[in-house]
């Protein structure tokens, strides 16, 4: 069994084109026998905000692999100087069940999250609603920074401006860590960023919902952190995209709140697979906002881990563990 940590993943490199391709290909298999992923259980004890999630999955097709992601999210870790999320992934041989790889650290989680966003972004850009887009990122932690890396790497030519906001404040040096010619500007409030962005990423660990107004017409709301929007901010004319209704309509997400308070049903939403592979966004008026809610699919994590496992084996990176 090979062991890989965040340092090994950085050594292997981050190729956003290949990561997006891996998510795109895996997404096509959702809803077929080539993807098996049970509903995720949540382990809670002590503080209700803390949770550890088990995410098992099998990914078939040309490269069969199975495994499980065990991801802990403890929001108060940030005050302790620790990362909010800590993840472990174990891959198993699908024929024998023998463990063949173990990953430790949060970097794979960041990469999967941003790569899924990349797939949705590419579909949105294909609608050609504007020639250039104003980007807003709320929350300047690891997930927010990783998303900016991805946006510049894959879509830099389509970006007009970037605004950042974090309730804890943002150091100007940390906002200018990219070589891209567009320099992010720090907004004085979330409202300023929200009202002046065509694409809004919410990447916070907010304890309470705060977004209480409709977005810019035609905007894409990338609701990465899932618990930001009060129901009144999402009007009836908004197109709602989810990666998986059963997963996302629970655990106090914005989708669950819309379901309980506004009667939102699965039939009123568009699946990510439908949006990307079945032209589910075609026919929307250019002014219709799109509200994307990715709960996180275990199959995506397993597919990304398998990608790095193969690369590590090929290049001799990682630590070999004996049984």
């Amino acid at each position: 069994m090979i062991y890989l940590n965040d340092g090994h993943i950085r050594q292997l490199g981050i190729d956003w084109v290949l990561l997006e391709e891996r998510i795109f290909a895996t997404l096509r298999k959702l809803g077929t026998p080539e993807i098996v992923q049970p509903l995720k259980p949540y382990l809670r004890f002590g503080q209700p905000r803390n949770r550890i999630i088990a995410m098992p999955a099998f990914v078939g097709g040309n490269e069969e692999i199975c495994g499980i992601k065990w991801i802990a999210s403890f929001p108060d870790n940030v005050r302790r100087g620790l990362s909010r999320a800590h993840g472990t992934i174990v891959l198993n041989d699908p024929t024998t069940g023998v463990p063949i790889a173990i990953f430790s650290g949060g970097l794979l989680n960041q990469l999967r999250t941003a790569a899924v966003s990349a797939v949705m972004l590419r579909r949105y850009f294909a609608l050609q609603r504007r020639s250039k887009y104003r980007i807003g990122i709320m929350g300047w932690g690891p997930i927010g920074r990783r998303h900016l890396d991805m946006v510049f790497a894959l879509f830099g030519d389509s970006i007009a401006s970037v605004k950042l906001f974090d309730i804890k404040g943002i150091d100007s040096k940390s906002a200018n860590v990219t070589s891209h010619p567009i320099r992010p500007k720090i907004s004085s409030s979330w409202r300023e960023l929200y009202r002046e962005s065509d694409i809004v990423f919410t990447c916070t660990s907010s304890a309470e919902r705060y977004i209480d107004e409709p977005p810019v017409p035609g905007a894409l709301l990338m609701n990465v952190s899932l618990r930001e929007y009060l129901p009144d901010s999402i009007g009836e004319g908004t197109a709602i995209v989810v990666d998986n209704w059963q997963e996302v309509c629970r655990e106090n997400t914005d989708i669950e709140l819309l379901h309980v308070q506004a009667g939102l049903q699965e039939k009123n939403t568009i699946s990510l697979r439908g949006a990307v592979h079945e032209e589910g966004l075609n026919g929307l008026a250019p002014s219709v906002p799109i509200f994307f809610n990715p709960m996180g699919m275990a199959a995506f994590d397993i597919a990304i881990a398998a990608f790095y496992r193969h690369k590590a084996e090929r290049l001799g990176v990682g630590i070999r563990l004996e049984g």
Side-chain angles (χ1 to χ4, degrees):
M1 177 166 60
I2 191 172
Y3 169 79
L4 298 165
N5 58 27
D6 285 353
H8 296 127
I9 300 302
R10 293 189 183 94
Q11 184 180 348
L12 292 167
I14 300 170
D15 187 325
W16 287 112
V17 172
L18 294 180
L19 293 174
E20 181 193 358
E21 288 177 353
R22 183 55 59 97
I23 296 297
F24 182 84
T26 306
L27 179 61
R28 187 185 295 276
K29 301 171 189 173
L30 284 183
T32 77
E34 292 184 343
I35 298 289
V36 180
Q37 51 178 12
L39 196 68
K40 299 179 289 190
Y42 284 64
L43 175 65
R44 284 195 170 87
F45 52 90
Q47 294 295 327
R49 292 181 67 200
N50 299 337
R51 61 186 185 272
I52 309 180
I53 311 169
M55 300 172 62
F58 164 79
V59 179
N62 294 333
E63 179 187 355
E64 293 193 345
I65 191 66
C66 59
I68 187 168
K69 175 181 175 182
W70 181 240
I71 177 73
S73 176
F74 284 50
D76 291 339
N77 275 358
V78 176
R79 294 191 291 103
R80 302 184 179 102
L82 300 172
S83 297
R84 177 187 62 82
H86 293 266
T88 302
I89 295 177
V90 177
L91 298 181
N92 299 77
D93 184 301
T95 301
T96 65
V98 173
I100 55 177
I102 183 168
F103 299 77
S104 178
L107 183 52
L108 280 187
N109 183 62
Q110 298 170 25
L111 297 180
R112 182 270 295 163
T113 302
V116 171
S117 294
V119 170
M120 183 64 209
L121 272 178
R122 191 167 300 280
R123 184 67 189 91
Y124 177 73
F125 285 136
L127 299 176
Q128 297 182 336
R129 291 186 166 185
R130 293 168 175 79
S131 58
K132 297 246 183 207
Y133 298 81
R134 301 169 297 170
I135 303 293
I137 299 177
M138 289 195 272
W140 193 233
I143 297 293
R145 299 180 193 210
R146 198 64 63 188
H147 273 84
L148 184 59
D149 291 343
M150 176 274 293
V151 166
F152 278 150
L154 294 177
F155 309 106
D157 293 342
S158 299
I159 306 308
S161 63
V162 174
K163 290 183 180 293
L164 309 174
F165 175 75
D166 194 298
I167 195 170
K168 299 186 295 296
I170 300 174
D171 180 80
S172 58
K173 290 182 180 180
S174 75
N176 290 294
V177 294
T178 175
S179 60
H180 196 278
I182 293 178
R183 294 304 184 195
K185 295 183 179 179
I186 301 171
S187 294
S188 60
S189 68
W190 74 262
R191 291 188 189 277
E192 175 189 298
L193 179 151
Y194 188 68
R195 293 168 179 172
E196 299 177 3
S197 298
D198 305 306
I199 301 172
V200 178
F201 294 91
T202 47
C203 305
T204 80
S205 54
S206 176
E208 296 181 357
R209 292 175 173 84
Y210 55 93
I211 298 177
D212 57 1
E213 59 181 82
V216 169
L220 173 62
L221 307 178
M222 301 289 284
N223 192 19
V224 178
S225 42
L226 296 167
R227 299 166 183 88
E228 313 280 340
Y229 290 83
L230 291 162
D232 289 345
S233 64
I234 306 301
E236 290 185 2
T238 300
I240 299 176
V241 179
V242 299
D243 53 3
N244 181 283
W245 172 263
Q246 284 72 32
E247 288 284 9
V248 78
C249 189
R250 61 188 187 126
E251 293 295 327
N252 190 36
T253 64
D254 294 336
I255 291 297
E256 184 183 31
L257 199 61
L258 283 167
H259 172 65
V260 172
Q261 294 192 4
L264 181 70
Q265 302 293 327
E266 182 177 6
K267 65 182 180 181
N268 307 126
T269 66
I270 303 166
S271 72
L272 178 58
R273 186 180 187 277
V276 172
H277 288 294
E278 300 171 4
E279 301 182 343
L281 301 181
N282 287 10
L284 294 178
S287 61
V288 171
I290 299 173
F291 185 44
F292 178 46
N293 295 263
M295 191 66 157
M297 299 288 93
F300 295 152
D301 292 282
I302 299 306
I304 294 294
F307 167 79
Y308 275 104
R309 180 246 172 181
H310 276 292
K311 191 172 184 180
E313 294 279 7
R314 188 173 70 251
L315 299 178
V317 174
I319 299 171
R320 185 67 59 180
L321 303 178
E322 299 296 333

